[in-house]
């Protein structure tokens, strides 16, 4: 198998000058760095604004104090080690604390920084929890990236999940086909395994994380083709990231290429206010306008993506933004009281998150929830 060399120190990145290495090494002490030679090879080093570079190479702007480490309050929904249960029918298995590389804007960067109870490699308690909750129809295996695991290890977890009669859909959240397509191209046991478990009774979905059309190389396209042929359903979700895909034409190109690859565009995420992410975030109003312009350039097939904010109270779709009003609706709700709730707030061009709207602040105050922060907030 072609081994892809992983690089865990900025000083070993060949494309950077010595001065850049010295400057950027300071960031490693705060936010972990990880890349690999294949993905670094996609960077145009002559372009300081290259989008692939932006995804993977640190920037000093990450030092700007903004946001929280657990911006969506995920840790609040951990029921037993490794299992989050926020939405009635869906549970998350946080099975890994590493990825094929680390996106600088990762909303789970806390998993790479701390010992924590959110990740487990011992699955029995989590399996027992899911078995005891017949309302769980979907299990998302995520992390980190589950495809970092060897195929036998991943199969061990998938088998245990698949044996639970009420679980019908098993999702795998992954960026490995983009970060290291050789993981798929050179291990046919992975696709054989997917075929065994995506069998009509159960279905495996791969929740891909493709940020930019340039990630779709010959190798990654081939990897996606093989995965689809194995019987997995593929969908794509990406945050809108400043300097990566915050342009209508980039998103339109991405949607078209996804359509060509039979990968429906599923979610465009509002960049979460995660610590270090100010430089990557696009305000809600601006992001909605960019996405609308992108949709204007593609057919209905490309227009399937919803702009959503993964708020701690639920997944909120941004339906429309006018100069006066921003219209949002709960797409998934953690609290049944929010089911399909519509919010029409005064547009705030500077709002990055629900908490930036005056109406939401007023509601928090009214409910006495103003200090409702999570253990990782603003440390
Ligand atoms: S692939 Fe996902 S989990 Fe991994 S670093 Fe990127 S955003 Fe984070």
């Amino acid at each position: 198998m072609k081994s892809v060399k992983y690089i865990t120190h900025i000083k070993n990145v060949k494309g950077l000058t010595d001065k850049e290495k010295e400057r950027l090494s300071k960031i490693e002490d705060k936010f972990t760095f990880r890349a690999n030679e294949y993905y670094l090879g996609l960077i145009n080093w002559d372009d300081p604004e290259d989008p692939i570079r932006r995804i993977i190479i640190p920037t000093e702007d990450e030092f700007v104090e903004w946001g929280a480490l657990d911006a969506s309050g995920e840790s609040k929904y951990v029921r037993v080690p490794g299992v989050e249960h926020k939405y009635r029918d869906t549970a998350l298995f946080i099975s890994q604390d590493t990825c094929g590389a680390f996106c600088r804007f990762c909303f789970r960067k806390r998993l790479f920084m701390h010992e924590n109870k959110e990740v487990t490699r011992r699955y029995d308690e989590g399996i027992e929890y899911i078995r005891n909750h017949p309302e769980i129809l979907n299990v998302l295996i995520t992390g980190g990236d589950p495809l970092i695991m060897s195929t036998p290890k991943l199969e061990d977890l998938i088998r245990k999940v698949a044996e639970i009669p009420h679980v019908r859909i098993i999702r795998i959240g992954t960026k490995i086909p983009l970060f290291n397509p050789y993981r798929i191209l050179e291990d046919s046991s992975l696709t054989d395994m997917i075929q065994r478990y995506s069998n009509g009774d159960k279905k495996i979905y791969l929740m891909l994380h493709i940020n930019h059309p340039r990630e779709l190389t010959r190798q990654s396209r081939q990897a996606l083709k093989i995965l689809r042929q194995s019987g997995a359903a593929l969908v794509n979700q990406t945050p809108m990231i400043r300097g990566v895909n915050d342009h209508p034409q980039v998103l339109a190109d991405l949607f078209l290429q996804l359509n060509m690859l039979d990968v429906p565009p599923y979610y465009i995420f509002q960049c979460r206010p995660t610590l270090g992410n100010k430089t990557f975030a696009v305000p809600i109003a601006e992001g909605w306008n960019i996405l609308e312009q992108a949709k204007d350039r593609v057919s209905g097939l490309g227009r399937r993506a919803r702009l959503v904010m993964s708020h701690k109270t639920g997944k909120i779709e941004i339906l429309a933004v006018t100069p006066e009003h921003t219209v949002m609706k709960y797409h998934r709700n953690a609290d049944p009281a929010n089911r399909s709730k519509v919010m029409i707030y005064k547009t705030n061009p500077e709002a990055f998150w629900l908490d930036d709207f005056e109406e939401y602040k007023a509601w928090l105050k009214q409910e006495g929830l103003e200090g409702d922060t999570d253990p990782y907030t603003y440390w």
Side-chain angles (χ1 to χ4, degrees), residues 34 55-56 96-109 111-112 142-146 173-176 179 209 211 239:
R34 181 177 165 89
I55 292 169
I56 204 75
Q96 283 299 309
D97 57 5
T98 195
C99 289
F102 290 149
C103 312
R104 300 314 303 170
F105 44 81
C106 179
F107 69 96
R108 291 211 179 114
K109 57 180 81 164
L111 302 187
F112 316 138
T142 180
D145 198 316
T174 184
K175 195 173 169 69
I176 283 286
F179 275 153
H209 178 191
N211 306 122

Side-chain angles (χ1 to χ4, degrees), residues 72 103 120 130 178 236 331:
S72 294
C103 312
T120 187
I130 295 167
L178 299 312
N236 190 56
H331 178 59

